[in-house]
Amino acid sequence: KMIQLVEVCQDRSSNSLKYNLREIFINPKHVVAVRPDDRMRKMLNEGYLPEDIDKRQGFTKVYIDRGQSGIDITVVGDAGIISQKLGIFEKNLLKG
């Protein structure tokens, strides 16, 4: 089951450090780690993200396994909320 998130991506059309948002879909089975992305919160406070984002918004870096390599993306939302959406904290009980 794919999970929809909002990714923060750098605007490649300009030479500045501006960032845009876009919807992405992630397979949670390929996520190997999540952690808060404090750097992106600093970028928000310095005005590099779209103006309509609440200044209290949190960001999370999601690490995705791709076999030989991996990628990391920054998504909108606190690490705890993103982890819940991805089902990382759900426990599978063994049926005996």
Side-chain angles (χ1 to χ4, degrees):
K1 177 181 171 189
M2 301 291 275
I3 305 297
Q4 182 179 6
L5 299 173
V6 176
E7 179 184 15
V8 179
C9 50
Q10 192 167 1
D11 182 357
R12 304 273 183 213
S13 65
S14 69
N15 291 333
S16 67
L17 280 174
K18 289 286 186 187
Y19 291 86
N20 294 321
L21 303 178
R22 66 180 174 197
E23 290 182 349
I24 59 165
F25 293 87
I26 295 178
N27 182 340
K29 292 178 182 177
H30 296 283
V31 174
V32 294
V34 296
R35 71 172 191 192
D37 189 345
D38 296 327
R39 182 182 150 274
M40 197 53 63
R41 186 176 291 218
K42 182 180 176 200
M43 296 300 239
L44 172 64
N45 290 330
E46 292 177 2
Y48 294 109
L49 275 79
E51 293 178 12
D52 55 346
I53 298 179
D54 190 316
K55 296 295 183 202
R56 299 169 294 181
Q57 183 63 58
F59 299 90
T60 301
K61 194 166 284 279
V62 178
Y63 297 88
I64 302 169
D65 182 19
R66 289 182 35 184
Q68 295 288 343
S69 65
I71 60 169
D72 59 305
I73 59 172
T74 297
V75 296
V76 177
D78 290 316
I81 293 169
I82 298 301
S83 295
Q84 279 184 330
K85 278 186 105 170
L86 293 171
I88 291 174
F89 290 132
E90 292 176 8
K91 292 188 166 97
N92 293 324
L93 299 176
L94 295 175
K95 296 181 182 176

